[in-house]
Amino acid sequence: MEFSSKTIVNVKVPKKSFYENLTVSAANKRIFVDQISAIYWRYKLTADTLGVATSETIDEIEIFEIELTTKNFDSSILRLIDRGIPYHTFFILTYGGESQLWIAYKEKTSSESLSVGNYYHTDFAPSESLNLSADGLSLDDIYAALFYQVSGIQKDFSKPLKDVILEYEQRQKLEREIERLEKQLKREAQPKKKFELHQQIICLKDMR
């Protein structure tokens, strides 16, 4: 992963700075202590540092590297970190020479806060094999490029990223419901109930 030298920050951030000013339970503080070795602010992507067009919805994209003490970490800790960062974020999680990329769609709700959506991530892979590009003519383009590469969602630049994610998550929800009903259908013994379940499945499949 390479960005312009103007974007490099490379500052170690004290773990406690992410929860000192937040309402965090003792259990979550323990996760910071036990599961995170160190946090580094690696890059700050802005229109100026990248030489691209500004965005009305994205001020900056912050890239953090989080060194883990275990692969089996509690991913809810990323949401806690995100709550304390009023910018769009991108996480590189590292452990034992391997890295995993994480991102959640963030959206401005006010001038100082953003809502955090569902997280997407890659599998762990050797750190040196990471090949991530951030091409685009604006911060919006670059954020979408990062999101698509990590999430695996099919690219669609004809729509806003928010709409593409919403449609994808609705389809995923639909698929889970179809799968649930199909399992229920296999277990059902009553003919009438089986027929009703079958009809529900057909209707849901028609909605895909």
Side-chain angles (χ1 to χ4, degrees), residues 23 51 60 68-69 89 98 190 198 208:
T23 303
E60 302 175 6
L68 301 172
T69 61
T89 50
E98 293 187 316
Q190 297 182 17
H198 182 66
R208 289 191 299 191

Side-chain angles (χ1 to χ4, degrees), residues 6-206:
K6 295 180 180 180
T7 68
I8 297 174
V9 180
N10 280 347
V11 171
K12 186 175 182 179
V13 184
K15 291 184 286 185
K16 65 180 181 179
S17 66
F18 288 99
Y19 58 78
E20 277 185 332
N21 299 318
L22 296 173
T23 303
V24 179
S25 68
N28 282 326
K29 287 183 181 180
R30 177 52 55 187
I31 293 174
F32 269 98
V33 173
D34 292 346
Q35 298 185 9
I36 295 178
S37 174
I39 301 175
Y40 297 92
W41 182 12
R42 292 300 189 194
Y43 300 96
K44 176 180 178 178
L45 310 185
T46 67
D48 288 337
T49 60
L50 292 171
V52 298
T54 58
S55 166
E56 293 183 1
T57 57
I58 301 175
D59 298 321
E60 302 175 6
I61 304 170
E62 315 296 355
I63 299 181
F64 291 92
E65 179 182 348
I66 301 176
E67 293 182 355
L68 301 172
T69 61
T70 173
K71 262 190 178 182
N72 300 316
F73 76 104
D74 187 337
S75 61
S76 66
I77 205 68
L78 294 181
R79 192 169 294 277
L80 286 176
I81 293 174
D82 255 333
R83 282 170 53 194
I85 303 173
Y87 299 107
H88 290 70
T89 50
F90 184 90
F91 297 102
I92 307 167
L93 276 56
T94 61
Y95 176 79
E98 293 187 316
S99 296
Q100 189 179 44
L101 308 178
W102 285 70
I103 193 169
Y105 181 74
K106 296 182 78 170
E107 181 180 23
K108 275 188 177 183
T109 54
S110 70
S111 61
E112 297 182 354
S113 62
L114 293 89
S115 62
V116 184
N118 295 324
Y119 281 90
Y120 295 84
H121 63 84
T122 64
D123 294 329
F124 271 103
S127 298
E128 63 270 17
S129 70
L130 287 182
N131 184 21
L132 192 69
S133 61
D135 299 324
L137 300 177
S138 68
L139 277 181
D140 293 294
D141 292 343
I142 289 169
Y143 185 68
L146 292 172
F147 198 98
Y148 280 128
Q149 289 172 85
V150 173
S151 68
I153 296 175
Q154 185 174 354
K155 297 178 183 178
D156 185 350
F157 293 107
S158 68
K159 303 176 183 177
L161 178 60
K162 177 182 178 180
D163 294 345
V164 176
I165 296 170
L166 181 60
E167 291 174 5
Y168 173 81
E169 292 182 346
Q170 288 176 337
R171 287 196 302 272
Q172 293 298 104
K173 183 178 180 181
L174 194 62
E175 293 295 342
R176 289 193 296 271
E177 179 63 11
I178 290 172
E179 184 179 354
R180 185 188 70 81
L181 291 175
E182 287 179 337
K183 289 180 179 178
Q184 187 178 343
L185 179 61
K186 290 180 180 179
R187 297 192 302 267
E188 184 57 55
Q190 297 182 17
K192 182 179 179 180
K193 185 61 176 177
K194 285 176 73 74
F195 176 77
E196 292 173 353
L197 288 169
H198 182 66
Q199 293 302 114
Q200 289 181 48
I201 292 170
I202 291 175
C203 288
L204 291 177
K205 286 184 174 181
D206 287 342

